[in-house]
Structure formats: C-alpha cells, structure tokens
C-alpha cells in the first residue's frame, strides 16, 4: 500500500492526534493499518497501550498495529508493512533530526498539520526546504500535503483565508492544500484518554467525525493519484 508520514519541524501542531485519528478511520474502513511512532515523546505509543488495555477489558474496538521505532528499524518495519499491504502512518518527531529525515525519505507522501497562526505557517517553508534537499538525494518527488489543523471554530473561514493570503504573500507553495480542515475540538482531546479515535467514541461528535473522515479520504485520494502517476 502506502507510506504516509505526518511531519512538522515544530511541536504543538496536533501531529500525533492527527495520526491516531487517521489510523482509526482507516482501520474502521477495513484497511490494514500500521502506525510507526518515531517521535521520542511517544504519544501514539502511550495511546496504543491504553487501547490495548481497553480491548483486553472487553471493549469492542479493532486491534491496531503500533510500534515505536527509529533509525534503520524504521525503514525495515515501514517497508515490510507496506509490502504486506498496510497503509503505514509514521508519526515523525516535531524537530528536524535523523528520524524525521529517515521518515520523509521512506514516504510516498508527507502530510503536515498546521494551525493558522503565523508562527506555525512559517514552519511550512522549513519543511519544504528539507523535502527539496531529500528529493535531490533520491531523484524523486515526495509531495507535501498541507492540512489546516486546530483551526478556530469561530470565524474559521476568515482564519483560512488569512493563512492562504500569508502563503501567497510569502511565496510558500505546498504541493497540495487539503480542502478539508480540522477544527479545534474538545472531542479530539477526550478520545485519546480512552485509546480511541473520535469516530469510535460514544456519544459521537458528528462534526469531529466528519472532519477526520473527509481528511482521511482526501489524503488517500491524493496518495493514490500520486502513486499511480509515479509507477
């Protein structure tokens, strides 16, 4: 299948929360999913332990493959799972280090989660520069997909417009900008405590569920399009 890295050169953008929610959406769609936690904070690995405990206690949620890996093991596990037909999601570190670059090099696409504040928007340029260097090493294009994440619920359209204007003014051009967005919602924070994604919680937050499902479907559409064109 595919290797999708969720990346950022800074922390606090909601990267790990996005990874685990994408994973549960794809898992509940019947896809084989492997999550590789390359972030030293280990947020996804800790969440997975809670999930396993809930499953062992009788909760009816599907098992999910999660492994904390780095270095050469990251490449080996990612490639192995891809060959077995898994969608591989890599939660890369929120810093520019060897694990992040290793994650990027192995990816079919890179997704960056970005709030709409200027300090976060500037980081997109840093990630684009890193990818540009890595592209020259492998002589292949690694598309960068931008997702506006943690968008304010009030005046969200204005926040997105200002962010897009900021990109235009500063000539920052990701390969794709998702139409779907993820707003700042309590449901995403609460779901983590129970080892679930928002789509698995009861009662279900319909707005949060729709946002993450639309996001997952749009990302898969882009990676299929790119993968087909590059084969």
């Amino acid at each position: 299948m595919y290797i999708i890295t969720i990346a950022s050169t800074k922390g606090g953008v909601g990267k790990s929360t996005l990874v685990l929610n994408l994973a549960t959406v794809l898992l509940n769609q019947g896809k084989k999913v492997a999550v590789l936690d390359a972030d030293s904070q280990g947020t996804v690995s800790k969440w997975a332990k809670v999930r396993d405990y809930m499953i062992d206690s009788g909760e009816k949620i599907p098992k999910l493959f999660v492994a904390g890996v780095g270095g050469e093991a990251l490449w080996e596990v990612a490639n192995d799972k891809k060959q077995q037909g898994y969608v591989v999601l890599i939660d890369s570190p929120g810093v520019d280090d060897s694990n992040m670059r290793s994650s990027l090099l192995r990816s079919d696409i890179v997704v960056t989660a970005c709030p709409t504040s200027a300090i976060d928007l500037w980081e997109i340029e840093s990630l684009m520069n890193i990818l540009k260097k890595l592209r020259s090493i492998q002589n292949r294009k690694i598309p960068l997909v931008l997702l506006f994440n943690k968008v304010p619920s009030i005046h969200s359209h204005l926040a997105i417009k200002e962010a897009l204007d900021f990109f235009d003014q500063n000539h920052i051009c990701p390969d794709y900008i998702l139409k779907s967005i993820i707003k700042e919602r309590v449901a995403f924070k609460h779901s983590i405590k129970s080892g679930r994604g928002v789509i698995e919680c009861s009662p279900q937050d319909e707005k949060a569920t729709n946002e993450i499902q639309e996001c997952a479907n749009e990302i898969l559409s882009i990676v299929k399009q790119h993968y087909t064109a590059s084969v």
Side-chain angles (χ1 to χ4, degrees):
M1 287 292 282
Y2 317 111
I3 299 175
I4 302 170
T5 291
I6 313 300
S8 176
T9 55
K10 70 182 291 293
V13 299
K15 179 173 54 61
S16 297
T17 301
L18 175 62
V19 169
L20 63 88
N21 275 285
L22 286 175
T24 52
V25 168
L26 298 176
L27 193 65
N28 281 274
Q29 288 179 352
K31 295 178 175 61
K32 296 166 66 176
V33 183
V35 179
L36 305 186
D37 189 353
D39 192 337
S40 60
Q41 290 187 348
T43 301
V44 175
S45 296
K46 294 170 186 173
W47 169 85
K49 289 180 180 178
V50 176
R51 186 180 184 87
D52 287 342
Y53 174 81
M54 299 302 290
I55 292 171
D56 292 341
S57 300
E59 293 291 332
K60 303 300 182 183
I61 49 177
K63 278 269 189 182
L64 175 65
F65 178 91
V66 177
V69 289
E72 287 300 316
L74 179 62
W75 156 239
E76 293 171 2
V77 177
N79 189 58
D80 183 52
K81 289 298 180 183
K82 177 180 177 178
Q83 295 304 317
Q84 292 176 30
Y86 282 74
V87 177
V88 181
L89 299 175
I90 302 178
D91 185 14
S92 72
V95 294
D96 180 12
D97 66 4
S98 59
N99 270 346
M100 189 182 84
R101 293 194 176 221
S102 181
S103 302
L104 299 179
L105 278 169
R106 274 62 180 174
S107 303
D108 292 305
I109 68 167
V110 174
V111 177
T112 186
C114 185
T116 54
S117 66
I119 193 170
D120 293 301
L121 296 172
W122 276 123
E123 292 300 318
I124 303 303
E125 188 172 34
S126 300
L127 185 56
M128 287 173 59
N129 289 334
I130 294 168
L131 279 171
K132 185 177 180 180
K133 293 177 182 177
L134 296 181
R135 286 168 180 167
S136 64
I137 293 173
Q138 290 196 333
N139 194 29
R140 73 178 180 96
K141 186 173 184 178
I142 309 170
L144 178 61
V145 178
L146 183 139
L147 164 70
F148 285 119
N149 191 40
K150 301 174 75 172
V151 178
S153 295
I154 300 175
H155 304 307
S156 58
H157 292 294
L158 178 60
I160 296 297
K161 182 183 182 303
E162 290 178 346
L164 293 174
D165 288 344
F166 181 91
F167 283 161
D168 287 341
Q169 293 163 9
N170 293 280
H171 309 291
I172 299 172
C173 304
D175 297 292
Y176 301 92
I177 298 177
L178 296 185
K179 294 179 181 177
S180 47
I181 65 171
I182 304 294
K183 293 182 180 179
E184 183 76 71
R185 298 192 187 279
V186 174
F188 288 108
K189 298 177 182 178
H190 284 178
S191 66
I192 297 174
K193 299 176 184 177
S194 59
R196 292 175 170 84
V198 292
I199 69 163
E200 299 170 321
C201 291
S202 181
Q204 194 174 80
D205 185 312
E206 186 175 342
K207 291 180 179 179
T209 296
N210 288 340
E211 285 174 4
I212 194 64
Q213 287 178 327
E214 289 173 4
C215 173
N217 291 336
E218 195 174 354
I219 289 172
L220 277 187
S221 176
I222 290 171
V223 72
K224 286 177 183 176
Q225 172 188 333
H226 173 74
Y227 192 77
T228 301
S230 61
V231 171

